[in-house]
Amino acid sequence: MLRLSEKKELVEDLHRCFQKAAILILTDNKGLNVESVNELRRKLRDAGVEYRVVKNTLLRRAAEGTDVAVVTDDFIGPTAIAIGYDDPVEPAKVLAEFAKANEKLEIKAGVMNGDRLAVDNIVALSKLPSREVLLSQFLSVLNGVPTSFVRVLNGVPQKLVYALNAIRDQKDAA
């Protein structure tokens, strides 16, 4: 049992985490055995995601004044939170994959940029490529534009040289 001072400290810590979070996903892990929960925690930790099980009353207090306040109605029953700070896709991927393999893990809702995410949105988010892949795709597109431009510019003098060679060949033949 936590003392009042420990509860206040926990609420303040959660409040800071909620303010820094890029995404927060609520889950219900009721029915999962300890082994499965530990496996989920390990996968989330490897992805750089914080996973906590906290009382709903403390979650409600910590959510006040943050973007997470939009999901306080979902703080019902056993609630665990996955907090992603950098890449919002990674927590969604890990939780969606784990929920497919373990039907007892239920994804309740999520928050990203102050907007409430339904389960369908979280699953759709999990299907996106990671941030690094998206950045590399974007850079390849940016790199393709100047390369094509250089080819076009190079084509003009090249066609001129071909035309001059053709004229020379005609004069040599005549």
Side-chain angles (χ1 to χ4, degrees), residues 80-145:
I81 54 172
I83 306 170
Y85 297 104
D86 297 324
D87 186 8
V89 175
E90 276 305 307
K93 272 187 195 248
V94 173
L95 288 171
E97 287 173 12
F98 195 84
K100 277 184 191 173
N102 299 288
E103 293 155 5
K104 293 186 178 182
L105 178 72
E106 176 192 346
I107 298 174
K108 292 179 171 183
V111 178
M112 187 170 74
N113 299 328
D115 295 325
R116 184 183 187 286
L117 299 175
V119 177
D120 296 338
N121 300 88
I122 295 169
V123 171
L125 186 63
S126 73
K127 294 177 182 173
L128 288 176
S130 68
R131 184 174 189 264
E132 290 77 22
V133 172
L134 286 173
L135 285 174
S136 67
Q137 289 174 347
F138 179 67
L139 287 175
S140 69
V141 168
L142 287 180
N143 190 28
V145 171

Side-chain angles (χ1 to χ4, degrees), residues 17-39:
C17 290
F18 290 169
Q19 288 176 326
K20 293 187 299 184
I23 189 168
L24 180 125
I25 300 175
L26 305 174
T27 63
D28 180 354
N29 57 6
K30 179 179 54 184
L32 285 177
N33 59 24
V34 175
E35 208 174 285
S36 297
V37 171
N38 287 338
E39 179 186 348

Side-chain angles (χ1 to χ4, degrees), residues 16-88:
R16 283 190 298 272
C17 290
F18 290 169
Q19 288 176 326
K20 293 187 299 184
I23 189 168
L24 180 125
I25 300 175
L26 305 174
T27 63
D28 180 354
N29 57 6
K30 179 179 54 184
L32 285 177
N33 59 24
V34 175
E35 208 174 285
S36 297
V37 171
N38 287 338
E39 179 186 348
L40 175 61
R41 284 182 189 273
R42 183 184 48 75
K43 287 181 178 182
L44 288 168
R45 192 176 327 109
D46 291 345
V49 179
E50 192 175 333
Y51 191 68
R52 294 183 178 191
V53 178
V54 184
K55 284 185 152 193
N56 292 329
T57 54
L58 298 178
L59 286 173
R60 281 189 193 95
R61 286 196 179 126
E64 291 174 4
T66 67
D67 291 345
V68 179
V70 297
V71 291
T72 53
D73 293 340
D74 294 302
F75 295 149
I76 299 169
T79 304
I81 54 172
I83 306 170
Y85 297 104
D86 297 324
D87 186 8

